[in-house]
Amino acid sequence: MSRLLRSPYGLCLLLVSAMTGLISVGYPVALEAAGFSKDKIAVFFFVDSLTAFALALTASRPAPLRHTRPLLVAALVSGAGGVALVGGRSLPLVCLGGALSMAAAVTLPLILRQIQTSPGTAALSDSVLAAGTRWIAVAGYLAGVAGFGASVSLTTRWPDWTPVHAAVPLLLAAAALAAAGTRSAAVASRTTSARSAHEPPPPATPGLLLVAGVAALVLLKAADSVRLVYLPLFVVASGRDERLISVLFLATAAVELLVLPLLGRLGDRRPAPLLLGAAAVVGVLSFAVSAGFASLGSLLLSQLLYAPFTAALQALGPLLLGRLLPGGLPAGAGFFAALMQLGSLIGILAPLTVPGYSAGLFWIAAAFCAVAATVLLRMRSTPALSLTSPGGTR
């Protein structure tokens, strides 16, 4: 972990993750404060997800190392400009800002590729790298959610301040770090190429198995998006203080930081589909508590239950796809990012069938998790997935 944080790209990931945490709470609140209806908010997130899907697929393709850093810097600067546009009252302009901000939000494949080719981190195994980057991502997300609460407090002194705009300096700082890492990436390029040449290719994967894995992950992300977009709106619509949103998201992220090391140890001995399937069952319980009870205590309990679910999805999802794709972890991480956007579209649009922001919309997420759990638990005994990736998940 410390080796990653000493890398400029590890710090870059920390700042990008903080931006993600800040906008995850800040975007729904900013749009609601601007007076946008539920349908218009759905349009905004639809545009965001579609843009992020296309960008994530592009970023996951193998590219010459000399192009990765400039693309990363450009994406981060564009993202900063995009966040600055969110908060206005013109839907086209706000949608443009959200789309631009997605350029920064889906930079993980680029950052991961740079970490793999930096002198201090090139020797890390895929499993160590996956767990380490996820831990940093959660820590950054936690800081971002906390930062949103602090940013909201600024409105008491500056009423015209838009809290989500606190993400702008984070992305500009990340761009500066990415630019500073140029020489390190260039020095390590030959080292990584030599290492990759000795790594055995993954076994061939039947198409049906890949389809099943993709479908399960998309459904899990659809459930995650229901919570990400509609939980803040549900809290506001129920008349509670919007700062409660930060408390709920912080509670989940804090527990996830504790869960990840245990998940890594379990990953050494259990196949990823089994662990993901079990996490999906926990997701069903989490959303059922949110849907069936409306008290403050039940909301907090649901978010504590949610932590193992989201930890497994984000940490084991890329590894699962890495075993199903010939490109290994980098290809798996990029494809995973693209699938997450597809899942987001489903999760954003499905609750439109439920009037308003009632707790009943969380039953939709519970159904998504139940179907995904069924698929994953049927995959658990597949020979190609019965072993974890080399080195486990720690």
Side-chain angles (χ1 to χ4, degrees), residues 290-362:
S290 297
F293 305 94
S295 68
L296 178 60
S298 65
L299 278 177
L300 181 58
L301 174 60
S302 69
Q303 298 314 296
L304 296 179
L305 287 172
Y306 191 81
F309 165 75
T310 190
L313 172 61
Q314 300 293 337
L316 298 178
L319 287 176
L320 174 64
L321 291 175
R323 291 191 62 81
L324 296 173
L325 297 171
L329 180 61
F335 192 39
F336 178 79
L339 290 180
M340 294 301 94
Q341 303 311 314
L342 181 59
S344 292
L345 290 177
I346 298 173
I348 291 165
L349 296 177
L352 294 179
T353 59
V354 177
Y357 301 117
S358 68
L361 58 84
F362 296 116

Side-chain angles (χ1 to χ4, degrees), residues 87-104:
R89 297 183 181 276
S90 168
L91 183 60
L93 192 61
V94 168
C95 286
L96 173 62
L100 287 174
S101 70
M102 290 301 101

Side-chain angles (χ1 to χ4, degrees), residues 18 34 38 51 57 59 70 146 151 166 169 176 178 213 226 256 266 274 301 304 314 316 322 339 370-371 390 393:
K38 183 180 180 182
T51 303
L57 282 181
S151 187
V226 171
E256 187 181 355
L266 289 174
L274 176 61
L301 174 60
L304 296 179
Q314 300 293 337
L316 298 178
L339 290 180
V371 175
T393 57

Side-chain angles (χ1 to χ4, degrees), residues 17-327:
S17 301
M19 168 262 190
T20 303
L22 204 151
I23 69 172
S24 69
V25 183
Y27 274 0
V29 172
L31 295 172
E32 193 275 338
F36 291 114
S37 65
K38 183 180 180 182
D39 291 346
K40 290 182 178 179
I41 292 175
V43 168
F44 171 85
F45 283 105
F46 177 85
V47 171
D48 276 13
S49 296
L50 193 62
T51 303
F53 176 76
L55 291 175
L57 282 181
T58 302
S60 66
R61 295 176 181 176
L65 186 60
R66 63 181 180 273
H67 296 312
T68 304
R69 185 198 59 84
L71 285 174
L72 178 58
V73 173
L76 294 170
V77 173
S78 297
V83 173
L85 293 176
V86 178
R89 297 183 181 276
S90 168
L91 183 60
L93 192 61
V94 168
C95 286
L96 173 62
L100 287 174
S101 70
M102 290 301 101
V106 298
T107 51
L108 177 59
L110 297 176
I111 294 174
L112 184 60
R113 190 174 295 124
Q114 291 296 90
I115 290 175
Q116 286 187 318
T117 56
S118 295
T121 53
L124 294 176
S125 68
D126 284 352
S127 57
V128 170
L129 187 57
T133 54
R134 178 57 189 166
W135 197 95
I136 291 174
V138 174
Y141 181 88
L142 187 65
V145 173
F148 176 77
S151 187
V152 167
S153 300
L154 296 178
T155 58
T156 59
R157 178 171 295 186
W158 299 291
D160 293 333
W161 168 251
T162 302
V164 77
H165 287 171
V168 173
L170 296 178
L171 292 179
L172 293 178
L177 284 170
T182 306
R183 182 172 299 181
S184 295
V187 168
S189 60
R190 286 192 298 271
T191 302
T192 299
S193 298
R195 183 186 67 169
S196 299
H198 293 90
E199 291 179 351
T205 302
L208 186 59
L209 184 59
L210 178 60
V211 170
V214 165
L217 292 176
V218 167
L219 287 173
L220 292 180
K221 178 55 185 176
D224 178 66
S225 291
V226 171
R227 179 252 192 182
L228 184 65
V229 174
Y230 291 100
L231 179 63
L233 297 173
F234 169 73
V235 169
V236 172
S238 64
R240 294 185 172 94
D241 190 329
E242 65 183 33
R243 283 175 290 188
L244 174 62
I245 303 168
S246 293
V247 173
L248 294 174
F249 278 61
L250 283 169
T252 299
V255 175
E256 187 181 355
L257 288 176
L258 299 176
V259 168
L260 279 168
L262 173 61
L263 191 62
R265 289 192 293 272
L266 289 174
D268 287 339
R269 301 184 296 272
R270 299 290 186 271
L274 176 61
L275 295 176
L276 280 168
V281 173
V282 176
V284 173
L285 295 176
S286 172
F287 286 114
V289 170
S290 297
F293 305 94
S295 68
L296 178 60
S298 65
L299 278 177
L300 181 58
L301 174 60
S302 69
Q303 298 314 296
L304 296 179
L305 287 172
Y306 191 81
F309 165 75
T310 190
L313 172 61
Q314 300 293 337
L316 298 178
L319 287 176
L320 174 64
L321 291 175
R323 291 191 62 81
L324 296 173
L325 297 171

